[in-house]
């Protein structure tokens, strides 16, 4: 390991930046669908050693800023390029209009997100000096960089360091009591600390043992949370989840609208086939769920469609479907990405409008600037998308109220909470057909799992092309349909467990980690300086 450390310590100039980008790209292998999180045992120590070689001890702050920011930006660019390359697939859906813009978009987004990593590493660089506490400084800075990325402007908390464990319900359990960023810190600290173990830093081995020990304690607490839980009785409602796997290229063609709608109707009428093996729904009320923007026309302007929906539902049943909703404002029509709850009589009972719109998909950030570069949003509409006002619960005809989350709303920590109300389940409808058979749908699936663990609620996920699934309150998969499969799922809704820690307390966990880490660093440096004197 010492020879390997020397490679990073002695690198300079463009070689240093290239190695940083390579380490970031390697770190992306920790994410779903690969989930090879042990690669962080090389990526994070390599980042530490690059900083060691770039920042002379006791150099001035100005001399630290440029090299540390450059290393951090290159590391972040490599990580996000390798982790988010699949976004380019969306530009091939209407290739005649957008294919030429794909390289620009695929490079611009990682370059922008890497600014947060560069800023984080620059902060760590300003605190850098010989000793084990530099490892703590880097882990803390990387955590705060991810927190900023998840909250600045509309936020984009996709592929934070905690997501290295997102493929595993067991490894993700600390999210329930530490929150997403608390687990992010533990992951970053444990793997950064391995540099101190390998390079002989004074106190480095003890710190590595402590850091890994903290992570193991958190994982052990999560395992105990799952292992000691009593059996959870299912709720008295049946689910039918429809995954038609309609290619995005075909979905919105005017000549296909009737065929697409008929596909949903026929799959919803199919005989009951319970995942547990029972022959029928047991007379329970049913909630039939279609994915995001399932209906390829304006439902409120098509009464025949509502009549067809009424014909497939019983009086106690509810259809929950994604659809585009139109409204009129001064200057023209506006549109909402919505979820409708429709009763057995064909009447729309309620609707939820998506609050967090997808950048570049449903709206264009910095529109006036980016349009000059030739960029436009890739969802074509004769108008603009508007964001909804707030998250809220919807009520089916019978059964528990649920909290809808459309598309990537499910990746935001704390987004699955509504003040003063606790739903019976979480519902994530999405259309990942934009991204084909890439790693994007697998990442989205794994990140949605964390909301179930965080809230102690079952999460029902219905995706047009997959991956559709039902998670229990511990994030374990109860039923699943893979990517590209045409099928439906029938099952009873899993039960809930008591929510252990509120959103406010999970955010306090991050603040406590910040205060304790800074306190340890201050005390360590004060004692070290006193000894040197």
């Amino acid at each position: 390991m010492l020879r390997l450390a020397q490679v990073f310590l002695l690198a300079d100039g463009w070689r240093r930046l290239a190695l940083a980008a390579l380490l970031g790209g390697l770190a992306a292998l920790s994410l779903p669908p690969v989930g090879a999180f042990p690669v962080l045992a090389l990526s994070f120590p390599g980042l530490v050693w690059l900083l060691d070689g770039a920042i002379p001890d006791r150099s001035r702050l100005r001399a630290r800023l440029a090299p540390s920011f450059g290393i951090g930006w290159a590391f972040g660019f490599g990580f996000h390029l390798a982790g988010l390359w699949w976004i380019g697939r969306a530009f091939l859906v209407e290739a005649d209009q957008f294919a030429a813009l794909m390289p620009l978009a695929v490079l611009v987004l990682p370059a922008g997100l890497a600014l947060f990593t560069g800023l984080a590493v620059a902060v760590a660089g300003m605190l850098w000096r010989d000793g084990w506490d530099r490892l703590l400084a880097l882990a803390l800075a990387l955590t705060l960089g991810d927190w900023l990325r998840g909250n600045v402007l509309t936020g984009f908390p996709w592929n934070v360091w905690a997501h290295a464990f997102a493929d595993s319900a067991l490894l993700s359990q600390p999210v329930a009591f530490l929150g997403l960023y608390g687990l992010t810190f533990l992951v970053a600290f444990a793997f950064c600390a391995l540099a101190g173990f390998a390079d002989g830093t004074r106190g480095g081995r003890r710190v590595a043992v402590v850091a890994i020990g903290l992570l193991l304690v958190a994982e052990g607490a999560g395992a105990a949370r799952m292992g000691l839980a009593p059996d959870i009785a299912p709720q008295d409602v049946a689910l039918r989840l429809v995954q038609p796997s309609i290619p995005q290229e075909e979905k919105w063609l005017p000549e296909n609208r009737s065929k697409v709608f008929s596909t949903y109707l026929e799959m919803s009428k199919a005989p009951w086939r319970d995942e547990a093996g029972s022959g029928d729904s047991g007379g329970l009320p049913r909630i039939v769920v279609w994915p995001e923007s399932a209906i390829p026309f304006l439902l409120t302007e098509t009464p025949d469609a509502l009549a067809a929906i009424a014909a497939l539902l019983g009086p106690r049943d509810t259809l929950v479907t994604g659809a585009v909703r139109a409204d009129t404002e001064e200057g023209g029509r506006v549109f909402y990405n919505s979820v409708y709850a429709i009763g057995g009589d064909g009447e729309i009972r309620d609707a939820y409008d998506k609050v967090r719109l997808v950048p570049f998909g449903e709206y264009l950030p910095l529109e006036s600037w980016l349009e000059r570069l030739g960029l436009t949003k890739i969802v074509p509409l004769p108008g603009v998308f508007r964001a909804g006002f707030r998250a809220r619960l919807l009520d089916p005809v019978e059964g528990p109220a649920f909290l809808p989350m459309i598309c990537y709303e499910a990746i935001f920590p704390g987004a699955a909470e509504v003040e003063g109300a606790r739903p019976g389940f979480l519902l994530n409808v999405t259309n990942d057909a934009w991204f084909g058979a890439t790693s994007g749908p697998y990442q989205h699936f794994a990140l949605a799992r964390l909301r179930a663990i965080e809230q102690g609620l079952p999460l029902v996920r219905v995706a047009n092309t997959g991956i559709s699934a039902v998670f229990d309150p511990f994030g374990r998969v109860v039923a699943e349909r893979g990517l590209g499969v045409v099928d439906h799922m029938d099952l009873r809704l899993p039960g809930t467990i008591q929510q252990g820690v509120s959103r406010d307390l999970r955010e306090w966990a991050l603040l406590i980690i910040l205060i304790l880490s800074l306190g340890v660093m201050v005390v360590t440096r004060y004692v070290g300086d006193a000894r040197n004197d």
Side-chain angles (χ1 to χ4, degrees):
M1 287 295 287
L2 289 177
R3 287 186 178 180
L4 182 61
Q6 288 294 320
V7 173
F8 297 105
L9 286 166
L10 298 177
D12 60 2
W14 67 266
R15 294 180 182 83
R16 180 184 292 150
L17 298 179
L19 282 173
L22 184 63
L23 289 172
L26 179 66
L29 293 176
S30 67
L31 303 170
V34 180
F37 64 86
V39 299
L40 299 179
L42 174 58
S43 291
F44 278 22
L47 180 60
V48 170
W49 295 326
L50 285 175
L51 288 169
D52 283 342
I55 304 174
D57 193 28
R58 301 188 182 279
S59 59
R60 294 183 178 181
L61 292 183
R62 285 186 181 180
R64 298 162 176 252
L65 188 60
S68 56
F69 178 84
I71 291 169
W73 183 88
F75 183 86
F77 179 73
F79 176 70
H80 291 300
L81 182 64
L84 296 172
W85 61 269
W86 48 268
I87 288 176
R89 172 61 174 76
F91 290 80
L92 300 179
V93 171
E94 296 187 34
D96 56 330
Q97 296 184 53
F98 298 108
L101 298 175
M102 183 180 71
L104 179 62
V106 169
L107 294 174
V108 166
L109 181 62
L113 297 176
L115 294 174
F116 292 97
T117 314
L119 177 62
V121 176
V123 170
M126 287 188 287
L127 300 173
W128 208 257
R129 70 174 201 174
D130 289 343
W132 65 264
D133 56 334
R134 77 196 195 286
L135 311 173
L136 179 59
L138 180 58
L140 188 61
L142 289 171
T143 301
L144 293 177
D146 272 356
W147 182 88
L148 281 174
R149 178 161 60 88
N151 288 276
V152 168
L153 300 177
T154 61
F156 190 69
W158 196 292
N159 292 352
V160 303
W161 295 115
H163 291 158
F165 291 169
D167 252 347
S168 167
L170 176 61
L171 297 179
S172 297
Q173 289 303 307
V175 167
F177 42 88
L178 291 177
L180 181 69
Y181 299 109
L183 181 56
T184 291
F185 171 77
L186 289 183
V187 170
F189 187 31
F191 287 102
C192 283
L194 292 178
F197 187 89
D199 63 17
T201 297
R202 184 175 179 180
R205 294 193 173 184
R206 289 194 295 271
V207 170
V209 170
V210 169
I212 295 171
L214 288 173
L215 182 59
L216 292 177
V217 167
E219 299 296 348
R225 178 177 184 261
M226 295 176 68
L228 299 176
D231 292 336
I232 308 169
Q235 302 184 57
D236 291 330
V237 64
L239 301 173
R240 166 157 290 187
L241 314 179
V242 177
Q243 180 176 300
S245 201
I246 298 169
Q248 189 65 29
E249 294 85 347
E250 300 176 10
K251 178 178 177 179
W252 291 98
L253 295 175
E255 62 270 25
N256 287 347
R257 289 175 182 173
S258 177
K259 178 183 176 182
V260 168
F261 186 59
S262 296
T263 297
Y264 280 104
L265 293 175
E266 292 304 314
M267 293 183 71
S268 301
K269 292 176 184 175
W272 181 269
R273 189 187 64 214
D274 196 289
E275 296 289 306
S278 62
D280 55 47
S281 61
L284 295 173
R286 294 188 310 153
I287 300 176
V288 180
V289 187
W290 297 353
E292 177 190 14
S293 61
I295 299 174
F297 47 79
L298 295 175
L299 186 60
T300 54
E301 298 179 7
T302 317
D304 290 348
L306 288 170
I309 289 170
L312 72 87
L313 298 176
R316 305 172 66 196
D317 297 342
T318 308
L319 173 69
V320 179
T321 180
V324 174
R325 186 176 74 83
D327 203 350
T328 303
E329 290 185 0
E330 287 186 20
R333 296 188 105 184
V334 296
F335 297 89
Y336 296 88
N337 189 347
S338 303
V339 167
Y340 285 125
I342 303 171
D345 56 1
E347 294 290 326
I348 296 174
R349 295 172 54 85
D350 206 349
Y352 160 75
D353 298 325
K354 185 179 182 182
V355 174
R356 297 179 184 268
L357 300 182
V358 177
F360 301 98
E362 294 162 327
Y363 80 98
L364 192 65
L366 305 173
E367 186 171 4
S368 60
W369 291 359
L370 293 181
E371 281 187 341
R372 295 173 190 170
L373 298 175
L375 290 177
T376 62
K377 67 182 190 320
I378 63 175
V379 177
L381 279 177
V384 298
F385 265 119
R386 286 276 190 270
F389 294 107
R390 62 184 176 85
R392 63 190 189 87
L393 306 188
L394 297 183
D395 289 301
V397 175
E398 290 191 34
F402 61 93
L403 181 66
M405 297 179 288
I406 301 175
C407 189
Y408 94 140
E409 287 185 314
I411 74 168
F412 288 85
E417 295 187 40
V418 175
E419 188 174 351
R422 181 165 164 80
F425 68 100
L426 307 173
L427 175 66
N428 177 215
V429 293
T430 188
N431 178 27
D432 290 344
W434 289 98
F435 307 110
T438 64
S439 55
Y442 293 95
Q443 291 177 5
H444 199 186
F445 168 84
L447 272 53
R449 177 207 303 270
L450 300 178
R451 302 291 78 76
I453 298 170
E454 179 184 273
Q455 301 300 321
L457 292 170
L459 185 142
V460 177
R461 185 174 196 271
V462 184
N464 170 20
T465 53
I467 307 165
S468 299
V470 176
F471 298 102
D472 75 2
F474 298 102
R476 295 174 295 203
V477 175
V478 177
E480 178 182 350
R481 290 295 181 273
L483 194 61
V485 174
V486 179
D487 203 357
H488 66 269
M489 290 184 283
D490 297 324
L491 69 160
R492 286 181 67 178
L493 176 66
T496 67
I497 61 174
Q498 185 175 0
Q499 184 180 14
V501 177
S502 70
R503 176 181 178 178
D504 290 341
L505 290 177
R506 286 193 298 273
E507 290 179 350
W508 273 102
L510 179 61
L511 182 59
I512 290 170
I513 288 171
L514 171 63
I515 293 171
L516 289 177
S517 299
L518 291 175
V520 168
M521 289 172 59
V522 169
V523 170
T524 299
R525 297 192 173 194
Y526 175 79
V527 171
D529 290 343
R531 285 179 177 174
N532 291 334
D533 291 341

